[in-house]
Amino acid sequence: MSDGTYLGMPAFPVAAAEAVGDARLRGNLRHATHTIRDKRARAVAELPDWPELRAAGAAVKDRTLRHLDHYLERLERAVTAAGGHVHWAADAAEANRIVTALVLATGEREVVKVKSMVTQEIGLNAALAEAGIRADETDLAELIVQLGDDLPSHILVPAIHRNRGEIRDIFRDRMADRGRPAPEGLTDDPADLAEAARLHLRRKFLDAKVGVSGANFMVAETGTMVVVESEGNGRMCLTLPETLISVVGIEKVVPTWRDLEIFLQLLPRSSTAERMNPYTSMWTGTTDEDGPRAFHLVLLDNGRSDALADTVGRQALRCIRCSACLNVCPVYERAGGHAYGSAYPGPIGAILTPQLRGVTSELDASLPYASSLCGACYEVCPVAIDIPEVLVHLRERVVRGGEVTVRGTRTVIRPAGGHAAERAAMRAARWVFDHPGVLRAGQRLAARTRRLAPRRRLPGPGRAWTDTRDLPPVPAEPFRDWWRRSRGEGSGR
Amino acid sequence: MRVALFITCVNDALYPRTGRAVVALLERLGVRVEFPMDQSCCGQPQYNTGYRHETEPLVRRFARAFAGYDHVVTPSGSCAAMVRDNYPRIGARAAAEGRGGGLAGAVAAVAPRTLELTEFLVDVLGVTDVGASYPHTVTYHPTCHGLRALGLGDRPRRLLRAVRGLELVDLPGAEECCGFGGTFAVKNAAVSAAMGADKARHIIGTGAAAVCTVDNSCQTHIGGTLSRLGSTVRPVHLAEILASTEKEPW
C-alpha cells in the first residue's frame, strides 16, 4: 500500500471506534497534538494584530475566489511568459494522465517528490506506479509513511501516528527496499533517525532528473510558485532535477506579492508555531543556468469549482493547509487521521472531502458528523473558516439532499441512505415541540412513570448512550408545571 | 424592564431545579421574571443534525413567544448561542430560498436580546456578587458554545469567586469539549465516550465536590459519565450555586 489510496475505507464512526481502542495511537496523537497546539498558541499570542491578519487573510482569499477565473488566467499568462507550461486538469484522473505523460516524455522512470497534499488527494503515486514510474517521497514524514506501506494521517505531520520506536523499525526493515539501507545498529534517537533519512535520500536528490511538487501559493501577477517547508528536502527537489512538475489546486492562487505577505505570516505560526518559515522556495518559470530546464504547472480543479458554487461551503477553499484545526480538535485527537478516509483529515477534511468527492459514499456522508461542534477549529483557523457552520450545512446535504453543483452542472441529489428513522424522529420532535399541549402531556406522563425510567440501559439506538453513561433521573414535576402551580396561568402569556 | 425566562426543553423536562434557581436568583436581585407558556425547544437538536427546515417552525415559535421583552434570559450557553448565532442564519436562508415570510425580521427583533444568564447578571444588572453562599469545593467546566460562540469569558468564574464559602479549583484541560455534542454522543459514541472519560478524569483529579457548568445538556453527559465511573462528584448548574444562600441553601 506504499502507493495506497483511501478508497474503500469504512465510515468514520467505525474507523474512529477502532482507533479509540488503540492505546498506543492515542498516546502518540495526544502527545503530539498537545505539544503543537501549545506552541501555536504562544506563537500567535506574540502578534497583537493577529485578529486583523486573520481577517485580512480571509478577505484576500474571498476576493480572489470571487474572481478566480481572472486570476488564474493572469497566472497562466505570467507562467507562460516566464518559460513555464500550464496544463489544466478537471479532475484527478486527468491530472494523473498529464503528469504521467510528462514524466514518460522525459524518458525517466523515477521521480522525487516534495511533500504535497494535492498529489495525495489525486493518488498520483499509485497512478505513476501503474505506468511503471517510481515516485520517491523525500519529506521525512512522507518517507516514513511510504516505507511503512502506510497512509498520511495529518496534514503537517503525516506520520504523527508513529512514535520514534516504530520509525526506527520501519527504517531498519524497509529502507533497503527503496535504496540505501539504514545504518547498522540504528537507534531510535531522533538525530540518528534524521541522519539515516539524510543518507538514504541524498543519492536520490543527486540522481533525480524529474521532481514533482505541489505549491502553497501561486502569485498571479508574476507567475511565481511558493513552497513552504521545514527540512530543505523540498528545495533539493525543486532545484536539482532537470524537469519540475507542480500540481496545484486552483484555489492556491493569490493576486499579488503584497497579498502573499499576509499568508507568510499566518501560515508558519499556525502550522509549526514558527515566527518565520525555515525554507521558503519561490520560482518563476525557468531561469537560464539555474534550476530546472523545464517547468510544468498542472492546475487542478477536482471538485473545487463545485465547492465554489456553494455559498456556505465555499469558505473551505480559503484553507492554507496549516493543520491548526487538527491539532486542537478533540475528535481528531482520539479518532486519528486515517478515520477521515482522505488526504485531508480533521475538521478541515470533514468539510472539504464531502465537497470535493460528494456525499454519495457511506464514508463521505459520515464525515460532516465527525464533530461535536465545539468550535475549537474555527477559533484557531488563520483564515476564519467557520467549520461548524459548514459541517451543519453539509449535514443538511446528507439528510435532505437538494441542489448541488457536480462538475459544473446544477443537480438535485437525493438524501443519503440510512437516515429515515432519524428524519421521522426529528420531524416528530419538531411537531411535539411546536405543540406545547402535547409536550406537557408527554412530560407529565414521563414524570408519573419516572420510577420506571431506565438509568443504566436504554434499548435500541439509545444503548449508544447508556453503554458508557448513566441517564439523569426524571424529576417529579417539569418546570412549566411548577411555574403554573406556584405562579398561576396569568403570570406569563 | 420586562424580562422573560427561556427555560429550554432540557431544563424544563429534566432539570426544573435549575429553572427554579434562576427564578429565585433573579427575584432576589429585584428582577420580575415572566415565563411565556408558548415557549418550547430552540430547535438546536434538529438544526445541528441537518434538519434546518424542521427547525423553522420552532424559530418562528420562539420569536412569537418572546416578542416584546427587553431581555430573554436563559440558563444555557448552548441554547443562547443557537438563538443568537444560528437564528439569523436560518432567517436569512429561508428568505433567500423564497420561504419564511418575515422570519428574518422576527428573528432580528429577538435574537440580539437573548442572553445567557451570566451575561444578563454581569452585563445588564452589573453584578458579580449576587449574595450567594455555597460552602463547597467547585471546579468549573466552560461549555463550548458559551465559551467560543458567546464569548462568556470570565463572567462565570467572576460570579463563582464572589460566592461565600466557595473554593474554586482549576480544571485541567478546562476548555476541551466534554464530548456531548448533541446527536454526536450517539452517532460517534466511541469518540464521545472517550472525550467524556478524559473530562471526568480531570474533574475527579481536582478533588472538587461539585463540577459546575452553564449548560445542563453537557452536564447530562458529564454527570452520566461520572456516575457510571462511580464518582461522587456532583454536577451542578451555576444558577443553583448562585441561588444558594446562607439562610436558604439550595
Side-chain angles (χ1 to χ4, degrees):
Chain A
M1 213 171 65
S2 60
D3 294 319
T5 66
Y6 295 91
L7 294 176
M9 294 181 92
F12 184 86
V14 177
E18 197 173 312
V20 163
D22 183 339
R24 178 155 74 164
L25 174 67
R26 274 181 70 186
N28 292 355
L29 281 173
R30 178 171 179 81
H31 175 74
T33 56
H34 281 252
T35 306
I36 314 177
R37 138 183 354 175
D38 295 344
K39 279 169 67 181
R40 178 214 152 267
R42 286 196 294 274
V44 166
E46 287 178 352
L47 292 189
D49 64 344
W50 185 261
E52 289 79 10
L53 264 177
R54 182 177 187 246
V60 167
K61 281 284 183 180
D62 282 352
R63 187 192 69 205
T64 311
L65 289 166
R66 260 199 313 279
H67 307 288
L68 190 58
D69 50 347
H70 167 79
Y71 289 113
L72 287 173
E73 285 177 1
R74 190 169 176 189
L75 174 82
E76 180 182 33
R77 285 196 300 275
V79 170
T80 308
H85 303 275
V86 177
H87 312 261
W88 299 81
D91 55 24
E94 191 175 4
N96 288 332
R97 273 199 305 276
I98 292 169
V99 177
T100 305
L102 288 171
V103 177
L104 291 175
T106 65
E108 295 295 323
R109 291 298 176 270
E110 287 174 17
V111 302
V112 286
K113 283 189 69 202
V114 183
K115 175 176 169 2
S116 138
M117 296 307 301
V118 79
T119 57
Q120 294 283 2
E121 173 190 329
I122 62 176
L124 177 64
N125 291 7
L128 289 175
E130 266 180 46
I133 299 163
R134 201 177 90 174
D136 282 320
E137 296 289 350
T138 68
D139 172 82
L140 176 57
E142 293 283 1
L143 174 67
I144 296 165
V145 166
Q146 189 174 45
L147 290 174
D149 289 344
D150 202 353
L151 287 166
S153 71
H154 190 281
I155 290 175
L156 180 74
V157 198
I160 195 169
H161 54 290
R162 299 290 196 189
N163 63 26
R164 60 198 217 186
E166 294 174 276
I167 294 167
R168 191 261 324 273
D169 295 348
I170 290 168
F171 278 11
R172 192 187 53 207
D173 300 342
R174 308 302 294 275
M175 263 187 173
D177 299 350
R178 300 190 73 96
R180 181 174 170 147
E184 283 293 317
L186 180 66
T187 74
D188 66 356
D189 180 61
D192 260 20
L193 295 173
E195 184 59 17
R198 206 173 276 127
L199 292 170
H200 178 79
L201 290 170
R202 187 154 301 156
R203 198 69 253 159
K204 295 180 191 288
F205 291 134
L206 294 172
D207 291 346
K209 297 285 185 282
V210 182
V212 174
S213 83
N216 294 92
F217 306 100
M218 309 184 284
V219 185
E221 64 177 348
T222 54
T224 304
M225 303 288 120
V226 183
V227 163
V228 173
E229 43 125 10
S230 300
E231 298 172 4
N233 293 356
R235 182 163 294 172
M236 301 281 235
C237 300
L238 297 168
T239 52
L240 292 173
E242 287 166 9
T243 301
L244 173 60
I245 305 165
S246 300
V247 186
V248 189
I250 52 175
E251 83 283 17
K252 297 283 163 202
V253 66
V254 295
T256 69
W257 284 78
R258 288 195 59 157
D259 300 316
L260 178 65
E261 177 237 336
I262 298 164
F263 299 105
L264 290 185
Q265 293 181 73
L266 287 171
L267 181 54
R269 285 180 196 262
S270 298
S271 57
T272 50
E274 286 166 305
R275 297 187 176 117
M276 189 178 167
N277 181 64
Y279 289 89
T280 304
S281 298
M282 300 173 175
W283 71 98
T284 308
T286 54
T287 309
D288 288 341
E289 313 283 320
D290 185 23
R293 307 288 77 228
F295 170 59
H296 296 274
L297 170 61
V298 182
L299 290 170
L300 177 76
D301 188 318
N302 206 31
R304 287 159 175 76
S305 300
D306 296 340
L308 187 56
D310 187 290
T311 53
V312 178
R314 65 171 58 142
Q315 57 186 308
L317 298 176
R318 289 183 202 147
C319 176
I320 56 174
R321 312 283 189 261
C322 72
S323 69
C325 62
L326 279 63
N327 298 328
V328 296
C329 179
V331 177
Y332 174 85
E333 181 188 324
R334 290 164 183 87
H338 291 154
Y340 295 83
S342 93
Y344 305 109
I348 186 63
I351 62 168
L352 204 51
T353 306
Q355 295 200 78
L356 297 182
R357 298 202 301 218
V359 291
T360 45
S361 82
E362 200 190 343
L363 166 62
D364 294 341
S366 73
L367 288 175
Y369 296 93
S371 167
S372 67
L373 304 178
C374 83
C377 48
Y378 177 32
E379 191 175 52
V380 297
C381 178
V383 286
I385 301 170
D386 191 338
I387 293 176
E389 181 192 14
V390 182
L391 286 167
V392 169
H393 174 67
L394 293 173
R395 290 175 184 187
E396 180 178 333
R397 182 172 300 173
V398 171
V399 298
R400 191 179 175 85
E403 266 209 347
V404 294
T405 307
V406 180
R407 298 212 61 167
T409 307
R410 294 298 279 171
T411 312
V412 176
I413 58 164
R414 293 169 50 78
H419 290 81
E422 175 187 278
R423 190 176 304 113
M426 285 294 173
R427 286 189 178 149
R430 193 279 291 164
W431 185 82
V432 170
F433 282 126
D434 205 18
H435 292 82
V438 179
L439 178 63
R440 277 182 62 195
Q443 284 176 343
R444 283 181 183 157
L445 179 66
R448 271 201 299 274
T449 58
R450 68 199 185 101
R451 289 187 214 294
L452 304 174
R455 298 283 310 278
R456 303 201 75 136
R457 197 174 177 93
L458 280 177
R463 267 193 60 187
W465 178 278
T466 51
D467 275 349
T468 55
R469 294 153 286 210
D470 289 344
L471 289 164
V474 176
E477 182 181 50
F479 177 83
R480 64 179 70 221
D481 284 0
W482 169 81
W483 179 276
R484 200 183 299 264
R485 186 167 56 74
S486 62
R487 311 289 161 127
E489 293 276 349
S491 52
R493 288 173 298 171
Chain B
M1 182 167 75
R2 289 190 69 205
V3 177
L5 170 65
F6 169 44
I7 186 66
T8 82
C9 61
V10 166
N11 289 324
D12 187 10
L14 291 175
Y15 301 96
R17 272 174 65 85
T18 297
R20 296 204 301 272
V22 174
V23 174
L25 170 66
L26 292 181
E27 288 182 348
R28 196 171 80 218
L29 295 171
V31 178
R32 199 181 141 251
V33 58
E34 295 177 51
F35 184 77
M37 282 289 175
D38 281 349
Q39 66 179 278
S40 182
C41 170
C42 68
Q44 184 170 198
Q46 286 83 358
Y47 182 73
N48 279 356
T49 314
Y51 297 87
R52 176 170 58 91
H53 291 249
E54 284 74 6
T55 315
E56 283 172 11
L58 300 176
V59 176
R60 199 170 287 115
R61 166 173 291 278
F62 185 98
R64 204 170 50 230
F66 292 104
Y69 287 98
D70 297 305
H71 303 286
V72 180
V73 179
T74 184
S76 164
S78 195
C79 303
M82 172 68 186
V83 174
R84 286 233 296 274
D85 274 13
N86 290 329
Y87 274 23
R89 275 184 191 140
I90 294 165
R93 290 289 298 281
E97 289 164 6
R99 292 175 294 104
L103 191 61
V107 162
V110 73
R113 290 185 285 106
T114 302
L115 302 176
E116 186 276 332
L117 176 66
T118 68
E119 294 178 305
F120 182 71
L121 294 173
V122 175
D123 303 349
V124 177
L125 299 185
V127 292
T128 47
D129 183 350
V130 297
S133 168
Y134 195 80
H136 304 283
T137 314
V138 174
T139 193
Y140 176 71
H141 166 64
T143 48
C144 297
H145 294 173
L147 176 73
R148 284 181 272 264
L150 296 180
L152 294 184
D154 64 352
R155 289 179 187 85
R157 284 193 186 87
R158 282 163 65 195
L159 288 157
L160 283 170
R161 275 196 286 266
V163 174
R164 317 279 182 279
L166 187 148
E167 189 195 342
L168 186 62
V169 289
D170 280 343
L171 177 64
E175 296 191 353
E176 277 177 45
C177 177
C178 75
F180 173 58
T183 49
F184 172 78
V186 286
K187 280 179 182 286
N188 276 288
V191 176
S192 167
M195 289 163 69
D198 287 344
K199 179 60 70 182
R201 198 166 35 79
H202 283 310
I203 290 168
I204 293 165
T206 64
V211 54
C212 169
T213 72
V214 296
D215 268 291
N216 277 336
S217 48
C218 309
Q219 200 78 284
T220 303
H221 186 241
I222 294 172
T225 305
L226 284 168
S227 154
R228 180 60 59 91
L229 294 174
S231 163
T232 55
V233 182
R234 220 160 359 102
V236 56
H237 192 284
L238 178 66
E240 296 180 36
I241 292 178
L242 299 181
S244 183
T245 59
E246 264 166 61
K247 268 195 198 153
E248 291 176 73
W250 192 258

